[in-house]
Structures are given as C-alpha cells and as structure tokens.
Amino acid sequence: MAARNKARKRAFQILFEADQRGADVQSVLADWMRHARTDPRQPPVNEYTLELVEGYADHTERIDELIATYSVDWELDRMPVVDRNILRLGAYELIWVDGTPDAVAIDEAVQLAKEFSTDDSPAFVNGLLGRLKELKPGLRREMR
C-alpha cells in the first residue's frame, strides 16, 4: 500500500474516532501520536496524515457547510458517520491540497468508502466530491 494511501486511511480513522467520541479532532490526533511514541506496535503518525488532519481541523466549519449544502437529501448529522468523515477528508484534500490531483483525491475517498462503508456509499461519495470539484474554482476564489 502506498504511503499516501496509508496516510489517508489513518487520517480517516482519526476523524472517525473524533466524531464517534464527540472529541476534538486535534485531541484525538495527539492521542494517536502519544500512543505511537509509547507503544512500539503502533505505527507513527506520518507527515501526510498530520497535514490532512490538521488541515481538516483548520477548515472544519467550511467543509461541513459545503457537505451539508451539496449533499442531496442528507443532513450532515443524519449521514452515516463513516461517509461523513470520508467526505470531510476528501473535501479537504480536493479543495485545499494543491499537491493532490482532483481525480486522485476523489478516487482515494471512493476507495475508502468501498473498504469501510455500504455498497451505496462509493457512488454517494463520488457524486458529492465530483460536485465540489465542479465548484472548486469558485470555492478557491472565496478562500482568498
């Protein structure tokens, strides 16, 4: 498994855990990092995982607003927890990470949905992130 793929999976797991626990994502990240330092069986949190989680944390409100606005017939809090966090990670990487091609960000999110969610989730994730990709130029202008 490629390093960035593993990093995305870990970032998703951190976001998911924070959501499930109702905890701050940066606190969960710190727990993972502390655990990796004290338990040799726990792999370290790599730089890209750190970048993804901290980037999401910096833009949480805007990312959740975008997901809520463009997810047809789904309220954010009623969305499956797995899908919600895959979308959060995918939206952050798609809109804010310049070094990742849009198609890669979307495909990686779809792969996470295939691995961790329901049979309907990959299409849902693909559709919503595809819509955000279409809107990306305007969204990026808003960020300036």
Side-chain angles (χ1 to χ4, degrees), residues 6-17:
K6 285 182 185 179
R8 284 182 192 92
K9 188 178 288 189
R10 276 207 178 71
F12 158 70
Q13 291 169 324
I14 291 168
L15 267 61
F16 178 83
E17 181 180 332

Side-chain angles (χ1 to χ4, degrees), residues 17 21 26-36:
E17 181 180 332
R21 289 178 30 201
Q26 290 176 314
S27 298
V28 174
L29 175 63
D31 290 346
W32 276 56
M33 293 173 73
R34 188 171 31 261
H35 188 69

Side-chain angles (χ1 to χ4, degrees), residues 37-129:
R37 284 192 301 274
T38 59
D39 184 349
R41 296 168 299 176
Q42 179 71 22
V45 174
N46 78 19
E47 279 298 313
Y48 198 60
T49 298
L50 190 63
E51 178 183 335
L52 291 172
V53 173
E54 288 180 340
Y56 165 73
D58 289 343
H59 301 284
T60 300
E61 287 182 32
R62 182 64 176 136
I63 290 168
D64 283 358
E65 178 185 301
L66 289 169
I67 293 169
T69 299
Y70 295 104
S71 58
V72 179
D73 297 328
W74 279 102
E75 293 178 31
L76 192 64
D77 62 341
R78 306 262 325 182
M79 197 176 285
V81 178
V82 170
D83 294 358
R84 178 172 56 232
N85 287 287
I86 290 170
L87 287 166
R88 286 171 167 164
L89 183 62
Y92 169 71
E93 193 169 21
L94 177 68
I95 297 167
W96 280 273
V97 178
D98 292 328
T100 303
D102 294 347
V104 171
I106 293 170
D107 185 60
E108 289 288 329
V110 169
Q111 292 307 314
L112 285 170
K114 286 179 181 177
E115 184 172 349
F116 292 104
S117 199
T118 68
D119 290 342
D120 295 331
S121 295
F124 175 63
V125 167
N126 187 60
L128 182 51
L129 292 179

